[in-house]
Amino acid sequence: MPQMTHAEALEQARRIVAQMTLDEKIGQLNYAAPAIERLGIPEYNYWNEALHGVARAGVATVFPQAIGMAAMFDDAELKRVAETIAEEGRAKYNEYAAHG
């Protein structure tokens, strides 16, 4: 499947959300988001965050809390931290997807 452009993904998201009921939208705000079978949306548990590393997902690099990183006053280093967090997040997603 070819990768969507940002505009295509945004339009698809808008179409899907427009079809959801208020209760379905509220349900998707929970980290244990239930399936919405009529829209082909599987259940998903996204209990994770990447404020200072990919938490709650096994082994990952942990960086200082946001206030500590802000105190570095080093935009270039903060960008490298964010890139590392993003790369680890993608790796964890790919590993999860490989095992269903």
Side-chain angles (χ1 to χ4, degrees):
M1 171 188 258
Q3 196 169 24
M4 279 192 246
T5 66
H6 174 76
E8 291 168 334
L10 185 59
E11 181 55 34
Q12 180 182 20
R14 286 180 174 148
R15 278 195 309 270
I16 291 170
V17 171
Q19 296 176 64
M20 295 168 71
T21 67
L22 180 59
D23 284 343
E24 288 169 338
K25 291 173 187 174
I26 291 168
Q28 294 301 298
L29 296 174
N30 188 352
Y31 73 86
I36 304 174
E37 292 181 17
R38 66 184 185 82
L39 296 177
I41 298 172
E43 69 178 350
Y44 185 70
N45 184 328
Y46 62 85
W47 183 244
N48 207 331
E49 53 92 354
L51 181 62
H52 58 104
V54 184
R56 303 186 188 276
V59 177
T61 306
V62 178
F63 298 95
Q65 285 285 348
I67 194 166
M69 288 194 292
M72 292 188 309
F73 298 102
D74 185 338
D75 291 347
E77 184 63 18
L78 189 55
K79 184 175 188 290
R80 285 191 290 277
V81 167
E83 289 169 345
T84 300
I85 292 168
E87 189 170 339
E88 287 184 359
R90 285 190 300 275
K92 287 182 174 296
Y93 168 81
N94 290 333
E95 182 68 16
Y96 173 82
H99 295 93

